[in-house]
Amino acid sequence: MGKNKVWNKKVSKQISVHKGKGSLLEINNCMKTASPWFPWHMHAEGMEDEEGTSLIRFVMVDYSKGKKSVSVYANVAPEYVKYFFVQMLRGVEEFSFSQQKIFQKSPDSLEGAVTYFMISRHEYNSSGEKRNYPWYVEIQNGTGIVEKTRNGGQHCKKGTYEVKKRAAIYMTNIDIFVLFCRADSVIKAFERDALFHQRDIQNLQKLFKKLVSLLVYGEQESQNAA
């Protein structure tokens, strides 16, 4: 760290980061424990928006054009991140996953903020040559019109999505493995802590009840002896 480097006191949520020639991809911890009513879910599950949801946030910055850098983000469920890492462990040659989310900007408007996340791997290019950078990640941020679904969910109305910002990065096998390996470890550690936390609460509740019963029993014994 340089002598003139100044860090603020805010605790970083960054899990891991990969810096390429003209862009970077960062993975951040936005996980939250589940409601006390659903402790074994481990992860919080929000309903209308992502504020109360346990998530992993991907942030990408394209600084290939100098001062005019572009920053985009997308939130992904922790289970999906573990799924991506499993594909890396399996050594898949072909893989593709994409996800689009939309959230209302205001209760009085159907306009929504849209995030698009895509990760893929292709072993060979169109000429049949083996790729040096087979992994590809792309994130888009934009706007669209919210359309409600029959099951109570929502999606972006067809034909209304407009891309505002976009960034992408190509990565080698080892680069993306290193990036996701730490994320997978952090998620598993979070889940273990969530389960152990619930177990500890139950043990403390049992201990408290036992202590109360012993105190009550001891008080009754004292009264009987008197």
Side-chain angles (χ1 to χ4, degrees):
M1 184 174 67
K3 293 182 179 179
N4 297 326
K5 186 70 175 182
V6 178
W7 297 97
N8 59 33
K9 299 299 181 180
K10 188 176 180 179
V11 177
S12 172
K13 294 183 178 181
Q14 185 187 97
I15 297 174
S16 56
V17 60
H18 170 76
K19 297 179 180 180
K21 292 182 180 180
S23 57
L24 67 80
L25 177 60
E26 179 182 274
I27 300 180
N28 292 281
N29 176 14
C30 294
M31 292 184 288
K32 299 179 180 179
T33 55
S35 162
W37 301 108
F38 299 95
W40 307 116
H41 286 192
M42 295 181 289
H43 294 279
E45 299 172 354
M47 298 299 291
E48 297 299 329
D49 54 40
E50 293 185 311
E51 291 185 3
T53 306
S54 183
L55 298 163
I56 295 295
R57 172 166 291 189
F58 288 84
V59 176
M60 193 179 297
V61 180
D62 183 342
Y63 47 83
S64 60
K65 298 179 181 179
K67 294 182 179 180
K68 295 182 180 180
S69 62
V70 176
S71 178
V72 289
Y73 81 94
N75 294 324
V76 178
E79 292 84 357
Y80 285 0
V81 176
K82 292 199 293 183
Y83 171 68
F84 303 153
F85 186 59
V86 168
Q87 307 314 308
M88 298 168 197
L89 292 176
R90 290 178 58 209
V92 293
E93 290 190 357
E94 300 294 320
F95 173 74
S96 181
F97 171 90
S98 63
Q99 172 185 270
Q100 185 187 76
K101 293 183 177 182
I102 185 169
F103 301 95
Q104 282 182 264
K105 293 183 177 180
S106 167
D108 301 323
S109 172
L110 290 178
E111 184 181 4
V114 179
T115 62
Y116 173 82
F117 175 85
M118 195 267 276
I119 180 171
S120 64
R121 187 187 190 282
H122 299 291
E123 184 75 6
Y124 302 96
N125 61 22
S126 58
S127 301
E129 301 172 330
K130 198 168 186 178
R131 297 175 184 268
N132 293 324
Y133 297 83
W135 287 93
Y136 175 78
V137 182
E138 180 179 340
I139 299 176
Q140 299 175 9
N141 289 166
T143 59
I145 301 299
V146 175
E147 187 171 63
K148 301 295 182 179
T149 61
R150 292 182 179 179
N151 61 3
Q154 60 187 33
H155 59 234
C156 182
K157 186 177 180 180
K158 187 176 181 180
T160 66
Y161 177 49
E162 182 179 353
V163 181
K164 297 295 185 181
K165 297 186 294 182
R166 172 187 174 276
I169 190 171
Y170 287 94
M171 300 178 68
T172 66
N173 289 323
I174 184 65
D175 287 339
I176 202 162
F177 180 88
V178 171
L179 187 74
F180 276 82
C181 181
R182 189 181 297 178
D184 180 73
S185 298
V186 169
I187 295 170
K188 289 177 179 176
F190 172 90
E191 292 172 343
R192 285 195 298 269
D193 287 345
L195 292 176
F196 291 155
H197 178 68
Q198 178 61 25
R199 181 202 62 184
D200 292 342
I201 289 176
Q202 291 180 341
N203 288 339
L204 285 172
Q205 289 174 338
K206 291 178 181 178
L207 178 60
F208 178 76
K209 289 180 180 179
K210 188 174 182 178
L211 288 173
V212 170
S213 63
L214 288 174
L215 288 172
V216 172
Y217 177 77
E219 185 177 349
Q220 289 177 345
E221 286 292 307
S222 299
Q223 292 176 352
N224 293 335

